[in-house]
Amino acid sequence: MTLDAAWAVDWVRRSAATVAEHRDELVELDRQIGDGDHGENMNRGFRAVVAKLDALDAPPASVGDVMRLVATTLMSTVGGAAGPLYGTAYLRASKSGAATALGSDGVVALLEAALDGIVTRGRAHEGEKTMVDAWTPAVAAAVDAADHGAPPSAVLAAAARGAHEGAAATVALVATKGRASYLGERSAGHLDPGARSSELILRAAAEAAAAAD
Amino acid sequence: MTLDAAWAVDWVRRSAATVAEHRDELVELDRQIGDGDHGENMNRGFRAVVAKLDALDAPPASVGDVMRLVATTLMSTVGGAAGPLYGTAYLRASKSGAATALGSDGVVALLEAALDGIVTRGRAHEGEKTMVDAWTPAVAAAVDAADHGAPPSAVLAAAARGAHEGAAATVALVATKGRASYLGERSAGHLDPGARSSELILRAAAEAAAAAD
Amino acid sequence: MKKLINDPQDVVAESVEGFGLAHADLVTVHLDPTFVVRAGGRVPGKVGLVSGGGSGHEPLHAGFVGVGMLDAAVPGAVFTSPTPDQIAPAIAAVDAGAGVLTIVKNYTGDVLNFETAAELADADGTTVRQVLVNDDVAVEDSLYTAGRRGVAGTVAVEKIAGAAAERGDDLDAVAAVAQRVVDNVRTMGLALTACTVPHVGRPSFDLADDEIEIGIGIHGEPGRHRVGLEPADVLTEKLLTPVADDLGLARGDRVLLLVNGMGGTPTSELYVVYRRARALLSERGVEVTRSLVGNYVTSLEMQGASVTVLRLDDELTALWDAPVRTAALRW
Amino acid sequence: MKKLINDPQDVVAESVEGFGLAHADLVTVHLDPTFVVRAGGRVPGKVGLVSGGGSGHEPLHAGFVGVGMLDAAVPGAVFTSPTPDQIAPAIAAVDAGAGVLTIVKNYTGDVLNFETAAELADADGTTVRQVLVNDDVAVEDSLYTAGRRGVAGTVAVEKIAGAAAERGDDLDAVAAVAQRVVDNVRTMGLALTACTVPHVGRPSFDLADDEIEIGIGIHGEPGRHRVGLEPADVLTEKLLTPVADDLGLARGDRVLLLVNGMGGTPTSELYVVYRRARALLSERGVEVTRSLVGNYVTSLEMQGASVTVLRLDDELTALWDAPVRTAALRW
Ligand SMILES: Nc1ncnc2c1ncn2[C@@H]1O[C@H](COP(=O)(O)OP(=O)(O)O)[C@@H](O)[C@H]1O
Ligand SMILES: Nc1ncnc2c1ncn2[C@@H]1O[C@H](COP(=O)(O)OP(=O)(O)O)[C@@H](O)[C@H]1O
Ligand SMILES: [Mg+2]
Ligand SMILES: [Mg+2]
Ligand SMILES: [Mg+2]
Ligand SMILES: [Mg+2]
């Protein structure tokens, strides 16, 4: 089992769908500890991505091509903190995912590249109540699954579970990066919106892989 | 029985008290069909009048002196429509009430002068939903009482009743003068604030006269 | 009621005092009685320009005192016309021998108080002329009302009369050009929310969350009717159409378009209204040659806007363009 | 939600379009990607000045494009930093060979997007320097936060850097004077009400009728703590004191005092705050030699205000006084 460009396209479409579905939830999470635009930003971005996909003459040749399209589109439509962060994540992923098809190691490399992109851009460490807190356990879980010989779909399922747990754990944290950090202690008790959107996107990846199985 | 400067001072003090007591009601009436300042304007004015009275070295010699003090003070502290209207009313009254003591005819002349001042300044006729609608029946009732030989206190009691009825009748009217006229038909169904304050002031006059009896 | 004030009784005095401190290069503030005059004293031979009215419409009028506009402004209590004993000294303070023009918004209170003040000034030997501003087309039938109200068009009257006085026109000429502005300017406004007068402590009218009040004045008075929530483009048309119709605008007319905020509306929204008003004028073949967008004649923190159109000719355009240096308008 | 808008998705584009139509003498508006440049094109040899950020803070930044201030402004979605593909063309459009200074408010989103845009511009051969504005003393400990936010002090940075660029300073000199303003300017704000972002449709935070939020930013973020209703004089002290303390103001210092409205506050109230802030500075022996009062850096229709103090020296004063001709600031 490997994951190809068709999976990547499906992932992106599922991401767009789940982001649209959870737009208001993400807005509300951001309203509580930020400025209330995260759901709108992500939804605007992913709608633009889908529009670009729809307008393609030929289907993308590789996972990397899909990732690059997502990267440039998010970068130019999302704005805010999430735009450059997700943009860089997908850009790094596009370089890692240049192959036409990914095995479990390829999936792990792609996720590691994405996380690396987020950290390089945003300079946040684990525990600062950001999307890094969803991606770090996601990557760890993916590595662990691949080490145990799991197929790509299981690796992504593990990543999605890791992201879910990581996102949930942000509730207790006090933010020290991003807009929520201005609230100090008052930021505790709320789920980080970027961690939540990361969780949604990684779940979409796992679901697309399951559907491809 | 005649009414002298002491009565006039008592009238003014009672006017100030009743305006203060009904400040919020007058504000609310004006809020409904005007700009919500009538209670505040009248209260500011009458407080200033009382302060001036308190600061006098000697008690005023005549009803006219008291009326003049009220006129100039209201004119310089009330503002809005009510300031010049009441100011002119008291100014005309001061000329009419120059005598040291007023009999029933003197009281009637004073009220007629006041109404005349209001009409001269404001150019409103009866039925336009203004203070004129309180003063006109008040004067008519006073004339009638005096014609029937009533003493000054009874003349003022009649005037107060007339003002009350006139004010109550403004509820049904559509305003064609003053700020309420901008509402057109929507001004109907509300008591005119200036008519209401006129009624309060005339009732104060009657009460002061009853106390002097 | 939430406001950045101390005692409601003191808000006008404290605000005017702060205004005087912040703009000492432009104005001098007199307290008790309260009025604001142009810094530097009388300009010999120049017609004096005095306006005033209730407070709560800032920057009107004090924000327009300075070179090329008003010589004095007289602020009353909030939404309450000033008293003659404030107005008369203001007139006296700016009388430089050429007479004084008072610019009065057409409200019973303002008319009566300015009338009395003019009588006092006249008794003191000052020639006073008056122009009444009544640009509000929301007041439909002046037979059955106190007449049209003076609203945002006042800015244009004060700017253009100010320029005429500054260039040395005599009293008759300044009065005539001011009247020409009045004759050619119309306004219509709406409110999304009411405002709260400090000494009242509650909103000036009650408006449901899905209602918009059309045809409001600038004193928190309710308007003529209510409509449901509608897009800005639709609402703008409800303002622009009666203004343009009443002015009888014709193809080829050149106009000044003023979109005025009521105090609590973001300027970004005013530009949305401006964009649509301009498109509608363009559909009528009317050319917008001058524009002003912002909070100029307000109702405290009311959310809402008004659209004002002034038909221009070459002279009015030149007077509009003439230099002005005030706290709220300068070029 | 009541707003004078059409579709929330279109509000920025329509508003900027209206702005361009109303101020065609000052600016040229580009749509898709959206940015605003000074009318008349590049000024040969002059350092280009570019700023930008989320919309909803009008007149910041587009209202400050013009002679003596910004060469370009880049508006993002409401409260959302613009994207690199808007910022990079704006930088390119104003690069007249002397390099470009970007003035960036210190928010993660703005920093990251401007950073990326600068990399793109650099790849195209434009020298780009950046100054980060972080004047908000409400953010206490930058070790545990994304660092102080850039708020109303941005106006002073843009005005003074704009004057330096206009007089012909080179890129290093313009960047240095901009940094000097940043080093000497501090702000603190409060909100009486939250604001409503169009695409959110409900207030940005929940505030009881008797609560005031102290230490707000300009994105409708809640502040650091809440207090009950207090008189303006008391609230002003809560703003001025941390600002003055943090600046280490000393007897004899001369300052610019900016009282900024958040968009929905009547200017009369801003002058009440100004009056008190000025008295407090005077008690400290600090002289207010320049003042600005009004809505300059807003949060949509939020009611509230911020107090900004900039320590002046002769050069900063002269640059502040230098002529400026923009939609929102001119003298
Ligand atoms: N320095 C950072 N590193 C990683 N993620 C960050 C950083 N700063 C913010 N974020 C993420 O971005 C999210 C907010 O995104 P968004 O609301 O779209 O942008 P903005 O904060 O500019 O409004 C946060 O919930 C957080 O997960
Ligand atoms: N032309 C007029 N003639 C007589 N009374 C008038 C006239 N116009 C207004 N009034 C009275 O003045 C009252 C309003 O006074 P007030 O609220 O103090 O002034 P304003 O309308 O200027 O706010 C009205 O209720 C009405 O009785
Ligand atoms: Mg956000
Ligand atoms: Mg009233
Ligand atoms: Mg009034
Ligand atoms: Mg944002």
Side-chain angles (χ1 to χ4, degrees):
Chain A
M1 262 303 309
T2 56
L3 296 175
D4 59 8
W7 160 77
V9 168
D10 191 32
W11 173 20
V12 171
R13 291 191 183 276
R14 285 174 188 266
S15 298
T18 188
V19 162
E21 194 186 324
H22 293 85
R23 175 194 178 279
D24 292 356
E25 178 198 335
L26 295 172
V27 160
E28 179 56 23
L29 290 175
D30 197 28
R31 195 181 76 90
Q32 281 168 21
I33 56 169
D35 59 353
D37 58 359
H38 188 59
E40 172 69 14
N41 294 348
M42 294 300 289
N43 193 37
R44 181 174 59 243
F46 271 101
R47 267 192 314 185
V49 170
V50 168
K52 286 239 179 111
L53 278 179
D54 289 345
L56 287 180
D57 290 332
S62 70
V63 173
D65 285 355
V66 178
M67 297 294 102
R68 189 169 5 263
L69 180 149
V70 176
T72 55
T73 308
L74 293 187
M75 199 89 92
S76 70
T77 55
V78 175
L85 290 167
Y86 275 115
T88 310
Y90 283 99
L91 198 65
R92 295 290 181 93
S94 80
K95 289 173 190 161
S96 147
T100 46
L102 304 178
S104 290
D105 287 352
V107 168
V108 166
L110 182 140
L111 296 179
E112 280 176 332
L115 170 56
D116 201 49
I118 292 168
V119 170
T120 309
R121 253 292 154 236
R123 297 168 204 105
H125 304 286
E126 239 195 303
E128 302 206 81
K129 199 179 182 105
T130 71
M131 56 176 71
V132 170
D133 294 317
W135 281 88
T136 307
V139 168
V143 168
D144 195 54
D147 283 354
H148 286 81
S153 61
V155 169
L156 284 170
R161 274 193 306 275
H164 173 70
E165 279 154 30
T170 63
V171 172
L173 299 175
V174 171
T176 53
K177 279 281 184 322
R179 204 175 284 283
S181 68
Y182 305 133
L183 283 177
E185 301 290 334
R186 284 166 77 185
S187 65
H190 300 275
L191 184 60
D192 176 63
R196 175 69 175 144
S197 62
S198 299
E199 174 195 354
L200 295 174
I201 287 168
L202 286 168
R203 202 203 308 148
E207 286 170 1
D213 265 355
Chain B
M1 262 303 309
T2 57
L3 297 174
D4 58 7
W7 161 77
V9 169
D10 190 32
W11 174 20
V12 171
R13 290 190 184 277
R14 284 174 189 266
S15 299
T18 189
V19 161
E21 195 187 323
H22 293 86
R23 175 193 177 280
D24 293 355
E25 179 199 334
L26 294 173
V27 160
E28 179 57 24
L29 291 175
D30 197 29
R31 193 181 78 89
Q32 282 167 20
I33 56 169
D35 59 352
D37 60 359
H38 188 61
E40 173 69 14
N41 294 347
M42 295 300 290
N43 192 36
R44 182 174 59 242
F46 271 102
R47 268 192 315 186
V49 170
V50 168
K52 286 240 180 106
L53 278 178
D54 288 347
L56 288 181
D57 291 331
S62 68
V63 173
D65 285 355
V66 179
M67 297 294 100
R68 190 169 2 266
L69 181 147
V70 176
T72 55
T73 309
L74 293 187
M75 198 91 91
S76 70
T77 56
V78 174
L85 290 167
Y86 276 115
T88 310
Y90 283 98
L91 199 65
R92 296 290 180 93
S94 80
K95 289 171 189 162
S96 146
T100 46
L102 303 178
S104 290
D105 288 352
V107 167
V108 165
L110 182 139
L111 295 179
E112 279 176 332
L115 170 56
D116 199 50
I118 292 168
V119 171
T120 309
R121 254 289 154 240
R123 299 169 203 103
H125 304 284
E126 240 196 303
E128 302 207 80
K129 198 178 182 107
T130 71
M131 55 176 72
V132 170
D133 294 317
W135 282 88
T136 306
V139 168
V143 167
D144 195 54
D147 283 353
H148 287 79
S153 61
V155 169
L156 284 170
R161 274 193 306 275
H164 172 70
E165 279 154 28
T170 63
V171 172
L173 297 175
V174 171
T176 52
K177 279 281 184 322
R179 204 175 285 284
S181 68
Y182 305 133
L183 284 177
E185 302 289 334
R186 283 166 76 184
S187 65
H190 300 275
L191 184 60
D192 176 63
R196 175 69 174 142
S197 62
S198 298
E199 174 195 352
L200 295 173
I201 288 167
L202 287 169
R203 200 202 309 148
E207 286 170 1
D213 266 354
Chain C
M1 174 185 60
K2 274 188 191 175
K3 290 185 177 291
L4 283 172
I5 63 172
N6 298 299
D7 187 328
Q9 309 291 335
D10 300 331
V11 59
V12 172
E14 290 180 354
S15 177
V16 171
E17 197 185 323
F19 179 81
L21 290 166
H23 305 290
D25 54 328
L26 298 171
V27 300
T28 305
V29 163
H30 290 256
L31 295 171
D32 203 12
T34 307
F35 59 95
V36 177
V37 295
R38 179 168 158 173
R42 297 181 183 79
V43 184
K46 191 181 100 60
V47 168
L49 236 68
V50 176
S51 192
S55 290
H57 309 302
E58 291 72 24
L60 188 81
H61 299 272
F64 301 133
V65 172
V67 179
M69 216 160 162
L70 297 179
D71 294 283
V74 191
V78 174
F79 291 174
T80 303
S81 129
T83 58
D85 73 318
Q86 294 173 260
I87 304 167
I91 291 175
V94 307
D95 176 19
V100 173
L101 181 72
T102 58
I103 298 174
V104 181
K105 304 194 294 304
N106 187 33
Y107 297 93
T108 306
D110 295 75
V111 170
L112 298 184
N113 284 286
F114 271 86
E115 192 174 276
T116 309
E119 287 166 17
L120 294 173
D122 188 71
D124 283 349
T126 299
T127 312
V128 181
R129 295 275 306 262
Q130 174 184 283
V131 63
L132 264 191
V133 186
N134 60 351
D135 53 319
D136 187 0
V137 297
V139 179
E140 281 159 13
D141 195 335
S142 57
L143 261 187
Y144 298 104
T145 63
R148 283 180 162 165
R149 299 172 288 210
V151 289
T154 311
V155 178
V157 180
E158 296 182 357
K159 168 68 186 79
I160 287 173
E166 203 73 44
R167 76 177 173 189
D169 284 12
D170 66 19
L171 183 55
D172 283 346
V174 175
V177 82
Q179 186 59 47
R180 195 139 59 84
V181 178
V182 169
D183 294 341
N184 286 285
V185 71
R186 297 290 186 278
T187 298
M188 177 105 169
L190 62 79
L192 305 182
T193 63
C195 58
T196 299
V197 176
H199 61 248
V200 176
R202 33 189 306 223
S204 55
F205 51 88
D206 306 308
L207 202 55
D209 272 357
D210 57 354
E211 281 178 340
I212 286 172
E213 186 91 22
I214 304 275
I216 49 144
I218 56 170
H219 294 86
E221 318 92 311
R224 274 249 157 173
H225 60 278
R226 284 174 188 191
V227 299
L229 278 186
E230 309 238 41
D233 283 358
V234 174
L235 293 170
T236 302
E237 196 163 348
K238 288 192 203 299
L239 300 185
L240 194 276
T241 303
V243 164
D245 287 351
D246 198 278
L247 265 181
L249 286 184
R251 195 158 286 279
D253 276 348
R254 288 169 301 137
V255 300
L256 164 78
L257 173 59
L258 161 58
V259 175
N260 175 62
M262 303 309 294
T265 309
T267 51
S268 51
E269 296 180 21
L270 301 182
Y271 284 109
V272 171
V273 171
Y274 175 88
R275 173 180 168 278
R276 177 67 179 153
R278 186 154 169 149
L280 290 168
L281 286 167
S282 166
E283 283 171 19
R284 287 175 178 248
V286 173
E287 193 191 350
V288 175
T289 55
R290 294 295 181 274
S291 300
L292 194 65
V293 181
N295 290 289
Y296 292 100
V297 179
T298 62
S299 287
L300 296 168
E301 77 287 1
M302 179 183 282
Q303 282 180 262
S306 61
V307 171
T308 299
V309 176
L310 166 64
R311 190 193 280 109
L312 290 171
D313 55 32
D314 289 344
E315 191 195 15
L316 294 184
T317 304
L319 290 168
W320 177 259
D321 287 347
V324 58
R325 216 168 75 84
T326 68
L329 212 62
R330 49 173 115 188
W331 52 72
Chain D
M1 173 185 61
K2 275 188 194 176
K3 289 186 178 290
L4 282 173
I5 62 172
N6 298 300
D7 187 329
Q9 308 291 336
D10 300 330
V11 59
V12 171
E14 291 180 352
S15 177
V16 171
E17 197 186 324
F19 179 82
L21 289 168
H23 304 290
D25 55 327
L26 298 171
V27 300
T28 304
V29 163
H30 290 256
L31 296 171
D32 203 12
T34 306
F35 60 94
V36 177
V37 296
R38 179 168 157 171
R42 296 181 183 80
V43 184
K46 190 181 99 61
V47 169
L49 236 68
V50 176
S51 191
S55 291
H57 309 303
E58 291 70 26
L60 189 81
H61 300 270
F64 301 133
V65 172
V67 179
M69 217 158 160
L70 298 179
D71 294 282
V74 192
V78 174
F79 291 175
T80 302
S81 130
T83 58
D85 73 319
Q86 294 174 261
I87 304 168
I91 291 175
V94 306
D95 177 19
V100 172
L101 180 72
T102 58
I103 298 175
V104 181
K105 303 194 296 305
N106 187 35
Y107 297 94
T108 306
D110 295 73
V111 170
L112 297 184
N113 285 287
F114 271 86
E115 194 173 275
T116 309
E119 287 166 18
L120 294 173
D122 189 71
D124 283 348
T126 299
T127 312
V128 181
R129 295 275 306 263
Q130 173 184 286
V131 62
L132 263 191
V133 186
N134 61 351
D135 52 319
D136 186 2
V137 298
V139 179
E140 279 159 13
D141 196 335
S142 57
L143 260 186
Y144 298 105
T145 62
R148 284 181 161 162
R149 299 173 287 212
V151 288
T154 311
V155 178
V157 181
E158 296 182 357
K159 169 66 186 82
I160 287 173
E166 202 72 45
R167 75 176 174 192
D169 284 13
D170 66 19
L171 183 56
D172 283 346
V174 176
V177 82
Q179 186 59 49
R180 195 140 58 83
V181 178
V182 170
D183 293 341
N184 286 285
V185 71
R186 296 290 185 281
T187 299
M188 176 106 170
L190 61 79
L192 305 182
T193 63
C195 58
T196 298
V197 175
H199 61 248
V200 176
R202 32 188 305 221
S204 55
F205 51 87
D206 306 307
L207 201 56
D209 271 357
D210 58 353
E211 282 179 338
I212 286 171
E213 186 90 23
I214 304 275
I216 48 143
I218 55 170
H219 294 86
E221 319 91 311
R224 273 251 155 171
H225 60 279
R226 283 172 190 193
V227 299
L229 278 186
E230 309 237 41
D233 282 359
V234 175
L235 293 170
T236 302
E237 196 162 347
K238 288 193 204 298
L239 301 185
L240 194 274
T241 304
V243 164
D245 286 352
D246 198 280
L247 266 181
L249 286 184
R251 195 159 287 277
D253 277 348
R254 289 168 300 139
V255 301
L256 164 78
L257 173 58
L258 160 59
V259 175
N260 175 62
M262 305 309 294
T265 309
T267 51
S268 52
E269 296 181 19
L270 301 181
Y271 284 110
V272 172
V273 171
Y274 175 88
R275 173 180 169 277
R276 177 66 177 155
R278 185 152 171 154
L280 290 167
L281 286 167
S282 166
E283 282 171 20
R284 287 174 178 249
V286 172
E287 192 190 352
V288 175
T289 56
R290 293 296 180 273
S291 300
L292 194 66
V293 181
N295 290 290
Y296 292 101
V297 180
T298 62
S299 287
L300 296 169
E301 78 286 0
M302 181 182 280
Q303 281 181 264
S306 62
V307 171
T308 299
V309 176
L310 166 64
R311 190 192 279 108
L312 289 171
D313 56 32
D314 288 345
E315 191 195 16
L316 295 185
T317 304
L319 290 168
W320 177 259
D321 288 346
V324 59
R325 215 168 74 88
T326 68
L329 213 62
R330 51 172 112 188
W331 51 71

